[in-house]
Amino acid sequence: MAEIIDGKKISQEIKDEIRDKVEALKEDGIETTLAVILVGNDPASGVYVNNKKKACEYTGIKSLSYELPEDTKEEELLALIDQLNEDHSVDGILVQLPLPKQISEDRVIRRISPDKDVDGFHPESVGRLSIGERGFVSCTPAGIIELLKRSDVEIDGKDCVVIGRSNIVGKPMAMLLLRESGTVTVCHSHTKNLKEITRRADILVVAIGKPQMIDGSYVKEGATVIDVGIHRLEGKKLCGDCAYASCAEVAGKITPVPGGVGPMTIAMLMANTYQAALMHHGRI
């Protein structure tokens, strides 16, 4: 059976490290501040925002909360973002997605200053990543790199396969693995011979968005399997994109769902916010 990669434990380690660093900044008179905007009353978004607030409280990051009604106009949201962009006391800005249908997510993402884009979604942030410049990286892929490194998984020279090509996970994941000198293949819905490709992978990152689609027959013996998906089945049981038991019989290391990748996303948001504070105060 595969060794379990404990995302809860590793995310806690990162939050503890950030808490110490944020405290050190406070001793120098610098407060780290994250502005979180929630539009509407999507239940899942509400849960995510509350978890982010709790993480801010734990790490000592000041959290500014803006909860706007479902019928908020795009112009009102953009005006608030402009205000926060200009506010020198705010280090990071996060707009919780998805947004109500009357608001363009693309326009909102582009309006956030790249220097405060702690979600790493702005085209400039993506561009910086692609050419190897310093900038903010999408939190989930950044968290996966930390999971691999802190679990002693060598990336350099390894055959890495990413299933999924989304802007939030798949594409930045591929670029981060490349940055760590992995040999990277990106698969998607049009990929032919998927199983043949995934069975070559030393590191398999599954972000396909379909519950339990990938089973052990897709996994190379001893490979590291990172399951990004999260789905609620009947009876409220959670599962990932991988059929866990089947994959765990073949893999060397594997992330569980829940308790694998999920906790890392918020930990990396805290890390990005701390980096933003360092940048704003000329510390890096």
Side-chain angles (χ1 to χ4, degrees), residues 7-284:
K8 284 184 181 176
K9 177 174 173 287
I10 294 170
S11 69
Q12 188 61 49
E13 289 171 5
I14 292 170
K15 286 189 287 188
D16 287 344
E17 291 164 12
I18 296 299
R19 182 172 62 176
D20 292 343
K21 291 174 180 177
V22 167
E23 182 59 36
L25 281 184
K26 275 185 184 169
E27 288 171 6
D28 287 349
I30 297 170
E31 182 153 57
T32 307
T33 302
L34 173 65
V36 180
I37 303 171
L38 174 64
V39 184
N41 46 23
D42 179 74
S45 292
V47 170
Y48 291 140
V49 166
N50 281 333
N51 287 341
K52 287 164 186 173
K53 287 179 187 173
K54 286 177 188 171
C56 284
E57 188 177 349
Y58 182 82
T59 54
I61 293 172
K62 182 179 178 182
S63 174
L64 303 177
S65 182
Y66 299 86
E67 296 181 7
L68 308 179
E70 184 80 23
D71 60 358
T72 297
K73 293 184 173 65
E74 185 178 293
E75 295 74 20
E76 294 173 286
L77 177 55
L78 295 176
L80 174 57
I81 292 169
D82 290 342
Q83 175 191 323
L84 294 170
N85 280 338
E86 295 300 318
D87 188 337
H88 294 298
S89 71
V90 173
D91 298 301
I93 302 170
L94 181 148
V95 178
Q96 182 65 44
L97 304 178
L99 291 166
K101 61 181 181 300
Q102 75 273 15
I103 299 175
S104 163
E105 288 186 2
D106 182 59
R107 278 197 285 274
V108 167
I109 288 167
R110 289 171 182 268
R111 196 65 159 253
I112 297 169
S113 166
D115 293 333
K116 298 190 179 188
D117 171 38
V118 289
D119 253 340
F121 294 163
H122 192 285
E124 189 170 318
S125 301
V126 177
R128 287 174 179 175
L129 171 61
S130 70
I131 61 173
E133 285 189 0
R134 187 177 67 211
F136 298 112
V137 177
S138 184
C139 297
T140 299
I144 291 168
I145 293 293
E146 285 296 317
L147 279 180
L148 293 170
K149 288 183 173 181
R150 292 174 187 242
S151 301
D152 298 318
V153 176
E154 181 74 33
I155 303 172
D156 191 332
K158 298 300 182 183
D159 203 334
C160 307
V161 173
V162 180
I163 311 179
R165 54 177 169 177
S166 72
N167 291 336
I168 292 173
V169 179
K171 289 175 186 174
M173 189 74 252
M175 285 190 279
L176 284 175
L177 289 166
L178 276 173
R179 192 165 78 179
E180 299 294 332
S181 298
T183 300
V184 183
T185 303
V186 179
C187 299
H188 45 78
S189 58
H190 292 241
T191 298
K192 307 226 174 1
N193 305 321
L194 178 63
K195 193 175 288 191
E196 188 180 306
I197 295 167
T198 60
R199 284 177 63 85
R200 296 200 308 255
D202 302 304
I203 299 169
L204 178 61
V205 180
V206 185
I208 204 165
K210 295 182 179 178
Q212 300 180 325
M213 176 179 164
I214 301 301
D215 62 23
S217 67
Y218 288 80
V219 179
K220 176 183 176 180
E221 186 79 35
T224 297
V225 177
I226 305 292
D227 188 348
V228 183
I230 187 159
H231 312 276
R232 195 173 292 281
L233 300 175
E234 285 181 30
K236 297 195 172 178
K237 186 181 177 185
L238 293 174
C239 74
D241 290 351
C242 295
Y244 180 82
S246 174
C247 290
E249 286 180 8
V250 185
K253 296 184 180 185
I254 191 168
T255 57
V257 177
V261 173
M264 296 299 295
T265 301
I266 291 177
M268 298 314 295
L269 173 65
M270 299 300 105
N272 278 354
T273 304
Y274 169 71
Q275 289 295 320
L278 291 181
M279 286 164 53
H280 292 162
H281 295 279
R283 298 298 181 97
I284 54 174

